[in-house]
Amino acid sequence: DQQVKQNSPSLSVQEGRISILNCDYTNSMFDYFLWYKKYPAEGPTFLISISSIKDKNEDGRFTVFLNKSAKHLSLHIVPSQPGDSAVYFCAASALNRDDKIIFGKGTRLHILP
Amino acid sequence: GAGVSQSPRYKVAKRGQDVALRCDPISGHVSLFWYQQALGQGPEFLTYFQNEAQLDKSGLPSDRFFAERPEGSVSTLKIQRTQQEDSAVYLCASSWTGTSSNQPQHFGDGTRLSIL
């Protein structure tokens, strides 16, 4: 039973356009959400996070939106650049219970020239 | 180096052998986590240390898996009598503190374990 779901295994976006990666979760105890980026043969790199008390967090080209009622979050990258091609993992944790992070299966983003 | 360091990067072992994977966390990080990542999947939690104390080992798949962090710094994940299903990338992560704080975990590059 997957608690964090990334239903799109892959996504292709034209360079310069907006990339939108989606994530759904089932556990209402989750209160902290993260996005990690992973290049081949490297470990995941922290990208951006959001606490459940917010609905939006922005850092440069990256914005994460959280819709708690729908148990849905999304990562927007604008404008998309070639170096953004990677696998993106959505992750969630329940900070008041433990610090275990539950990851989705990832979405492979291809930025097309 | 300022990041999480894992060794070896690659390990090939025959079924039935014991293996030991090492993790050097970022200096000063209190919390240390081990994850297992199978091909095409996201990382899955194995175990968690706060300093030298192993606070959660609920993700360890069997009693063949054992982790330690005796001095609250370097950690070792040991797998005894390896099986083919143990083949995966083993990731280590560390963070400043694991107690209800919004501190992201920083990952090493992992050890790719292949059991023949």
Side-chain angles (χ1 to χ4, degrees):
Chain A
D1 180 32
Q2 270 203 296
Q3 297 186 64
V4 177
K5 299 177 185 178
Q6 293 178 259
N7 292 320
S8 298
S10 67
L11 176 68
S12 294
V13 174
Q14 207 75 33
E15 182 180 354
R17 298 287 186 96
I18 182 171
S19 296
I20 300 176
L21 295 101
N22 292 303
C23 177
D24 298 291
Y25 62 95
T26 58
N27 190 340
S28 57
M29 297 298 293
F30 288 147
D31 54 9
Y32 182 52
F33 304 89
L34 312 94
W35 284 93
Y36 281 83
K37 175 180 178 180
K38 187 181 182 306
Y39 292 120
E42 294 184 10
T45 303
F46 171 72
L47 200 54
I48 193 169
S49 64
I50 188 167
S51 165
S52 58
I53 62 173
K54 294 186 172 183
D55 55 17
K56 177 182 174 182
N57 189 25
E58 190 172 351
D59 183 2
R61 296 185 298 113
F62 303 92
T63 303
V64 56
F65 295 92
L66 175 62
N67 182 334
K68 282 182 292 183
S69 61
K71 294 192 178 69
H72 177 83
L73 63 155
S74 60
L75 174 68
H76 293 211
I77 307 173
V78 55
S80 300
Q81 299 176 353
D84 297 332
S85 293
V87 176
Y88 289 79
F89 290 102
C90 172
S93 70
L95 288 182
N96 289 326
R97 297 185 65 188
D98 55 43
D99 291 279
K100 189 183 306 185
I101 291 183
I102 308 298
F103 285 83
K105 290 187 175 183
T107 296
R108 183 177 298 278
L109 177 64
H110 300 270
I111 303 302
L112 306 172
Chain B
V4 177
S5 177
Q6 291 187 246
S7 60
R9 286 297 313 276
Y10 303 92
K11 176 70 179 177
V12 179
K14 291 184 179 178
R15 187 165 56 92
Q17 288 183 330
D18 298 348
V19 297
L21 313 180
R22 177 188 168 104
C23 173
D24 275 281
I26 292 172
S27 177
H29 277 193
V30 168
S31 298
L32 186 146
F33 304 80
W34 283 99
Y35 293 85
Q36 180 190 60
Q37 185 177 14
L39 193 64
Q41 304 293 316
E44 291 197 5
F45 171 83
L46 293 177
T47 186
Y48 158 52
F49 290 85
Q50 189 168 333
N51 294 307
E52 68 278 2
Q54 189 173 19
L55 298 187
D56 187 342
K57 53 182 181 179
S58 62
L60 295 177
S62 77
D63 58 8
R64 296 186 294 105
F65 286 70
F66 172 76
E68 59 183 4
R69 194 186 184 197
E71 297 177 0
S73 176
V74 171
S75 177
T76 303
L77 176 67
K78 297 179 180 177
I79 309 173
Q80 297 176 324
R81 304 181 303 281
T82 51
Q83 302 293 317
Q84 283 193 319
E85 61 263 27
D86 300 336
S87 296
V89 175
Y90 290 85
L91 293 163
C92 176
S94 69
S95 66
W96 283 110
T97 176
T99 51
S100 301
S101 66
N102 295 349
Q103 295 291 331
Q105 296 176 19
H106 298 271
F107 283 81
D109 287 338
T111 294
R112 182 175 294 277
L113 176 64
S114 298
I115 305 301
L116 304 179

